[in-house]
Amino acid sequence: MNASEHGAANARRALAQAAERSAAKLRANVRPAAWSNPAPSGRYNLVVIGGGTAGLIGASIVATLGGKVALIEREALGGDCLNTGCVPSKAIIRSSRICAELRDAYMLGVESGSAHADFAAVMERMRRIQARISQKDSASRLQALGVDVYFGRAHFTGKDTLDVDGRCLRFRRALIAAGSHPVIPGIEGLVAAGYLNNETVFDLAQLPRRLLVVGGGPLGCELAQAFHRLGSHVTIVQREPQFLPQEERDAAQILSEALARDGLAIHLNTEVVKVTRSGDERTAHMVCAGKESTVTVDEVVAGAGRAPNVDGLELKAANVDYDGERGVTVDDFLRTSNPRIYAAGDIIEDSRYTHMAEATARIAVQNALFFGRKRLSALTVPWCTYTDPEIAHVGMYTREARKRGIPVKTFTIPMNDVDRAIADGEEEGFVKVTIKDGTDRILGATIVARHAGEMINEITLAMVAGVGFKTLSNVIHTYPTQAEAIRHAADAYQRTRLTPLLKRLTTRWLAWNK
Amino acid sequence: MLSPVRPDAPVNSDQALLDALQRASFDYFLRHANPDNGLIADTSAPGSHASIAASGMGLAVYLVGVERGFMTRADAAQRTLALLRFLKESEQSDAATATGVYGLYYHFLEMETGRRAWASELSTIDTALLFAGILAAAAYFDGDASAEQEIRALADALYRRADWHWAMNGSAMVKHGWKPESGFLNYGWEGYSEAIILYALGLGSPTHPLPPPSYREWTATFQWENLYGWELLYSGPLFIHQFSHLWLDFRCIQDQFMREKRCDYFENSRRASYVQQHYAILNPKQWTGYSRHCWGISAGEGPGFVTRRQGSLERRHFDYTARGLPYGPDDGTLAPWAVAASLPFAPEIVLPALHFMSDVYPQMKDGEKRLRSFNPSFSADGDAQGWVAEHAVAIEQAPIVLMIENFRSGLLWRVLGHCEPLATGLRRAGFRGGWL
């Protein structure tokens, strides 16, 4: 081993040690080894099943307000978001973005040479970030807030009781926030060949040279683009004719172009029907409009959506209605068929985002303990797919509005017409704001832009606060910013209010006033 | 001769330009037809397969040829009969090499045998473009001559045989197509497109009509946008705003969607033409040549999948793709044929553009003086002319002939205005007003 190789080996060892330290810190926060469950005493105001985002928010609110609250977690606090979802994926996406920026640096007049990602360092950074953020979700912090934290498996034993590893907890109200888990895709041979899902992909120690991503939903697109930018040769296969089928066609088209530009091998309208394994290689057999083809890769990432974690909770014992695929049945107030018990987060259908978990937990706690009448249907929920460019949406889609017979008009500003986007070299995308025709009421918006997830919040705020589109035209935006596109759209709306009659009048007035 | 639709007749130089363009494109359909079966080649490339859309458009082109004196009525009738007889007699079955099934046709056919080519799909929109031509021929050839009587009888039989309802496959809207190997394609018509003619034909069928809710279901996916200050029913590629207008006069007729918006599809296409011009002026990707008189982004051939670096610019070019605006793909390739096809909507910007582009980029015309797509930004091997499409494409040439004629005389609009099934289809789609 020469000096250079020796130095590289030392660096690898140091990275591995740092990653292990971060992992240990994470475990100490979210699943401390020496934790001993408290002895239950008396009835709890609220017992929360599940220590993910919804459970943590619910328990923290009640504890902060002085209530007696228990939280039960069977694995690790923080849930999917911290451990296997948002946090690790966004850390990796950030590293992948810098690879793309270095690749494209010449477009900004900067010669950077070739970008090379050190995957071990990327993953070490990811674990360090997880460990750091996990402090907020730590058992010790919850304990300090006054939450009784139990690690173990919970199941209901009656309408107002449950059991945690042999200990009986009585409650006035319970919140089921047990989350969800990835569904095993029904592809022939996939399980035997071995595959990764959107959780286990973050356990990879080495960057796969060739990676197949099955599924072109938000998670699939994010992972596919990120891993390709980090250096894998990624093939993405999507059964539908477009990525992100629920989004606007233009948004999906821009994403397709972006992935193609990155160099991913894209197979739309294609189904993976079988996976076989030979040694370390996996071969996926695909069919597109009757034509068969194969692709050989080192790893396969596949997902088929998520299923609610209802097994083992003995929900029937508590008279809680549920469905194995749709989750716990709740009304608009998030109350289950047992009026003492509420549900929030992934375990209820249509709530499978971290920010929805947080929002539903707030509603559930308020309704359960404070005579609240907050409705799930009243929420204005934005979401974002963190590809590059990002695709964010809030409110109603145009097709939804039209099907409901609501006349709508959409104001569109292409990002290539926004000064800051031009200066940044980030011209892909648009801002589309949809209003109810004849009014300035904002019904929804789709933004495709480098930082669409940040920009959509302005529209969400306007919608929640009941601020009309007209008013956004009067909001001074710092110049130059990409968010100015929103004001440009509002300005376009204002111009439509200039009727021919009004224009004649203003022309006369100005002529008279010369 | 039919009376002109516009009182402001173009000046002589415009007439000369339009004459030359119309004649050159017309000639494609004489040169690239199989006289035995009437099929029209998809492109001028040697060995090109036939396209059923091109064949349908060809029938309409013949009508223009008769009116302009480019061919005799008898010749046009014989060419039309050749195609209709072939369509009637060719194999309709689910065999992989048949010509069609359920009265609908595969997108591409072998030029000589008329059998399915390239394992192509049974295409609903291309079948619709074929039938639009068939019904135009049936409406035009209204004489007592035996050939003309046979044209009408064959057209009626073919139209009655087409099972549009089957093409829905039990869904709410018409599917894009079907393949014997894999069944219906996974695509439906979503968002505004050239499919109004498809729905009008399907809804008007006397035998296998589409249900009227299918049209409402489709228009529910439309998006009315304010883009660059223009309010319009948006779609990126220019041809989408033209293909249904080759056949139907949408001035002053409105469906529910357009009634709500106080607009009509003709006016919408006018605005789309202006948006194209506006985009070229903005020229966000800084391509060579784009200007107020040099525009036109549509689906078509391109220089190929090539990425080049020019200073601090990345230049990505594409092969055949559905170019559109404002989100792309836009690789600097312009489609002058699509500019010409906007003539009835916005002659005040189209005529100057055609003159300008002809003067500045004479290479966009081939040896036969036909317009073809070109890309002045793509300079291969130091070729200052940039890229020019090697071959003429039938469904680009036909719109030139037909829309120049619609601008001049309203020929196709007038002929198909008397086509009862299409009028019925439009009424079932909810269109009212104007000539309806």
Side-chain angles (χ1 to χ4, degrees), chain A residues 248 250-251 254 412-415 427-432 446-449, chain B residues 327:
Chain A
E248 274 210 15
D250 289 330
I254 289 172
T412 302
I413 301 296
M415 293 307 290
E427 299 180 47
E428 287 174 326
F430 57 75
V431 167
K432 288 191 184 188
T446 296
I447 299 179
V448 180
Chain B
Y327 317 119

Side-chain angles (χ1 to χ4, degrees), chain B residues 292-307:
Chain B
R292 63 193 291 257
H293 293 321
C294 192
W295 47 274
I297 295 177
S298 193
E301 299 289 337
F305 293 106
V306 178
T307 300

